Amino acid sequence: MNEPPEPLSAGERFLARLQGFLDRLRDQGLRVGLGAGVDLGQAIGFLPSLDREAFRNACRATLAKSPEDLATVDRVFDEYWSALGRPAVPPASEEGKIPPASPRRRGSRPPTGRRRPPPVEVPSPAFEGSYSLRAPDPGVSLGLVSDIELRRNRIGARRFRRRIATLPGRSWRRAPTGPLDLRRTAGRSARTGGEWVELLHRDRARRRADLIVLWDVSGSMRDHTNTLFALVHAVHRAIRRTRVFAFGHAIEELTDLFEGQSYPRALTELAGRLAGTGGGTQIARCLEEFHRRSGSMLRPSTTVLIISDGWDLGEPGPLREVLRRIRRNVGRVVWLNPYAAERGFVPATGALRAALPFVDLMTSPGDFPYPHGGREMRSYRPRGPTPLAPRAEGSFIHRM
Amino acid sequence: MTDPSSTPPFAESIDGLMEALSRQQYVIERGLATAVFLALRLEKPLLIEGEPGCGKTEIAKALAAASGADLIRLQCYEGLDASASLYEWDYPRQLLEIRLHERDRTTAELETEIYAERFLLRRPLLRALEGSGGVRPVLLIDELDRADEEFEGLLLEVLSDFQVTIPELGTIRAQTIPLVILTSNRTRELGDAVKRRCLYAYIGYPNAEKEVEILRRRVPHLPEQFAREIASFVQRLRSQEDLAKRPGVAETLDWAAALLALGESSLRPGPVGETLGLLLKDAHDLETYRRDRLPTLLAAP
């Protein structure tokens, strides 16, 4: 005959509730490791009095790792611990054992362990297919790209960073050639009784890349939003000095969206920022606004990355003029066109033709991660003559 | 674990900690005080993120002053490496030693001698681990987001085990575990490995009441009513959506001190416009607000 299970002590019941709380946080996407749980347990032991606010503050300090995490901890804390009258964790005395604290099992986590919020839908009127300033917003249907694409973007972004960091910086690095590194040579000579057997050299570390992304988020670019956002996020992650601006019929800085944000979270926030940005593009007007407000950030070490299909409502003249001014101040201008890799692509729109003389390289997002290889993007040197070179596939790449 | 006697007496309770910091003119909220208290008791580093100029660095200074401990500061920057943060051998002196004793010592003896501690140049991280006296030093690793990701890797051993390994000398462990405060302005996401080793706190902009309190403490000659006016104006300015850079508490303090130095006792359009550059650090913001928006902001209740 089975004996009735021993009722749990108050401490054990509290631990069971605490475990339920941690599981609930994990369900909400918070990455609470075992170490953080142990820290919380120890923290509770150190608190002079375990009132609700002290407990909440201990949870915040030990379980959160970002401001977004703090908000999640607060929300779940209120939901979970306010329900003590009807506990989320069934009372141990009823069951006689530590109850299953969470409806979700560990096995149901995404295999990568990454937080994966569901795709974000921003409802909007139907897309009518016209391009005007007042064209209705076609809506933003955002989703995560595959891990393979993310990895490819990161590799590409790192290569891009290396390519655009061409100027010597302030700090020194060991190098196979260059000025003699007296300090290290002297240090090394200590191993050989003070004899300078091996001469070590040093060189200026290349200055970190300095990038401005101007991203066209108008209606015609909506099909590419997911791919391009993943790419821009990877670039921002790889290149710290990156400022991101989104434009359509107005321009807005999005850098804060990327700063300190994981890719899924930034994507979630993007939906809210893009709502209402559909419709046509006024590239020249937006670039003029950018140049007026942020022209001071353009330096010879800066690379400007314009992401646009070049479908523009404005006249080519003003665009040509503003690009000329931008190009004069920066190291290089790269134009990423989602259609550039398509067979038979010709930069035929008025905006693209106006832009070409001031663009060092025009390429497609697909080519971007592969500066080496078959579809290569190799031209990150200072500008020279700018012929249009027909590609083997029949499309055009603007080379230096 | 550190000898309990090395933990400052004020760390016995959260209230004690708040009082001690208050004596250093640092106004702290209970949530942040709890995080600092737990960092002291659990002997874990505390990562503080937040808006620039809102007191992240100041809290480390206040803690060091309150406990009478050394404040060892490591200001992070791009390219920061082990030789600037941890240790470096004093190569010229080593070389001199070799030259002095090359006749009377064997090579093996010389090798042993020149890798002695006296030839070690201690950088902030190592100095914090070695400590001085019985009081726990405060190690401030400031603006970690400015450093490279590789530097975060270098920090891991220090943050988790409070030790560093020097190949020629062995592993040096902290006798007195320092209170480590890391700060970040979130210009980039810090790695999970660093975050996992730290407790976390976030300092946002203060509300008006707290800002008045800070003004009263940090600018002692400021009249109460004027402090309220200044705090209220800065709160309104901060709430503007189109600002490229919002003013932090540090800017408020500088501005209040400047107005006081100019002999002002209330906000008047002329002096406010002339000193607005202490609050707004972006040329476009400054131009727009000085030209168009100042009267509206000043007139608002």
Side-chain angles (χ1 to χ4, degrees), chain A residues 282-294:
Chain A
Q282 288 211 325
I283 303 179
R285 198 176 80 168
C286 293
L287 295 195
E288 277 168 4
E289 174 66 12
F290 160 75
H291 192 261
R292 191 183 66 76
R293 278 207 63 143
S294 311

Side-chain angles (χ1 to χ4, degrees), chain A residues 55-384:
Chain A
F55 181 37
R56 179 199 292 270
N57 288 333
C59 291
R60 286 165 62 96
T62 52
L63 305 179
K65 303 295 173 197
S66 70
E68 297 80 18
D69 288 355
L70 288 174
T72 308
V73 169
D74 280 344
R75 181 169 49 77
V76 175
F77 186 94
D78 287 335
E79 288 169 7
Y80 188 85
W81 295 101
S82 298
L84 283 180
R86 38 185 180 78
V89 184
S93 55
E94 290 174 16
E95 301 283 337
K97 58 182 180 181
I98 295 178
S102 164
R104 219 191 67 169
R105 297 290 173 269
R106 284 180 189 281
S108 65
R109 270 180 175 274
T112 57
R114 299 173 64 86
R115 277 176 274 190
R116 292 217 166 249
V120 184
E121 293 282 345
V122 177
S124 64
F127 176 48
E128 292 180 357
S130 61
Y131 287 95
S132 78
L133 285 182
R134 283 181 289 279
D137 182 356
V140 193
S141 177
L142 298 182
L144 298 162
V145 300
S146 68
D147 284 348
I148 293 172
E149 195 169 345
L150 280 179
R151 207 171 306 126
R152 201 180 58 174
N153 283 339
R154 283 176 189 151
I155 292 167
R158 283 199 290 270
R159 285 178 179 162
F160 186 66
R161 177 180 62 187
R162 283 197 292 274
R163 294 300 179 95
I164 65 177
T166 54
L167 298 173
R170 282 181 304 173
S171 56
W172 292 90
R173 291 275 191 277
R174 285 179 65 175
T177 58
L180 189 63
D181 188 343
L182 282 172
R183 191 170 183 78
R184 286 187 191 281
T185 303
R188 181 65 59 89
S189 73
R191 298 178 186 174
T192 51
E195 296 300 330
W196 289 31
V197 175
E198 189 183 359
L199 297 180
L200 300 177
H201 298 269
R202 65 179 188 166
D203 203 355
R204 293 275 185 189
R206 285 192 303 175
R207 189 151 71 188
R208 294 295 172 127
D210 187 344
L211 182 69
I212 288 169
V213 180
L214 301 169
W215 177 20
D216 180 351
V217 292
S218 62
S220 64
M221 293 285 285
R222 279 293 158 85
D223 290 346
H224 310 284
T225 301
N226 292 335
T227 307
L228 292 174
F229 180 76
L231 194 145
V232 174
H233 189 274
V235 167
H236 184 274
R237 199 181 163 92
I239 305 170
R240 192 166 69 235
R241 293 177 183 153
T242 298
R243 303 279 291 265
V244 183
F245 296 82
F247 67 91
H249 49 79
I251 190 162
E252 182 197 352
E253 181 159 12
L254 291 184
T255 311
D256 63 306
L257 191 84
F258 296 88
E259 281 173 352
Q261 295 272 39
S262 65
Y263 164 60
R265 284 199 176 178
L267 186 72
T268 307
E269 283 191 22
L270 178 73
R273 301 284 284 270
L274 288 192
T277 57
T281 325
Q282 288 211 325
I283 303 179
R285 198 176 80 168
C286 293
L287 295 195
E288 277 168 4
E289 174 66 12
F290 160 75
H291 192 261
R292 191 183 66 76
R293 278 207 63 143
S294 311
S296 60
M297 68 173 71
L298 302 179
R299 291 188 293 268
S301 61
T302 305
T303 295
V304 172
L305 177 65
I306 300 173
I307 305 176
S308 174
D309 55 6
W311 289 17
D312 186 23
L313 290 170
E315 293 295 318
L319 179 63
R320 193 177 298 118
E321 188 50 39
V322 70
L323 277 174
R324 175 180 291 129
R325 275 185 279 145
I326 289 175
R327 184 62 191 83
R328 195 185 300 142
N329 293 330
V330 302
R332 55 186 72 76
V333 175
V334 178
W335 191 298
L336 213 61
N337 188 326
Y339 302 107
E342 287 190 3
R343 181 172 289 277
F345 168 78
V346 177
T349 68
L352 287 182
R353 279 189 300 190
L356 277 177
F358 310 103
V359 171
D360 298 288
L361 178 84
M362 182 169 288
T363 187
S364 73
D367 285 330
F368 180 80
Y370 298 106
H372 300 289
R375 300 189 303 170
E376 66 177 340
M377 184 175 72
R378 59 186 166 181
S379 309
Y380 287 112
R381 290 176 286 112
R383 272 184 85 227

Side-chain angles (χ1 to χ4, degrees), chain B residues 42-105:
Chain B
L42 297 177
E43 297 181 341
K44 296 203 73 162
L46 174 62
L47 168 63
I48 304 179
E49 291 189 325
E51 304 298 337
C54 283
K56 300 187 291 296
T57 305
E58 282 302 309
I59 194 172
K61 292 180 184 173
L63 280 165
S67 58
D70 291 335
L71 173 67
I72 301 169
R73 179 172 179 169
L74 176 64
Q75 174 65 51
C76 296
Y77 55 86
E78 195 179 304
L80 180 64
D81 60 3
S83 63
S85 62
L86 209 50
Y87 72 93
E88 192 176 16
W89 289 107
D90 191 345
Y91 298 132
R93 284 189 59 216
Q94 283 178 320
L95 205 58
L96 202 61
E97 184 78 3
I98 290 169
R99 288 292 179 212
L100 282 173
H101 297 290
E102 61 187 349
R103 290 178 190 282
D104 56 340
R105 303 275 162 80

Side-chain angles (χ1 to χ4, degrees), chain B residues 12-54:
Chain B
E12 291 301 318
S13 70
I14 298 171
D15 290 325
L17 178 70
M18 291 176 79
E19 274 174 33
L21 290 176
S22 176
R23 280 196 292 275
Q24 301 302 321
Q25 313 305 332
Y26 189 90
V27 182
I28 189 168
E29 288 173 353
R30 197 167 186 85
L32 179 58
T34 305
V36 175
F37 172 79
L38 290 175
L40 279 161
R41 305 301 296 193
L42 297 177
E43 297 181 341
K44 296 203 73 162
L46 174 62
L47 168 63
I48 304 179
E49 291 189 325
E51 304 298 337
C54 283

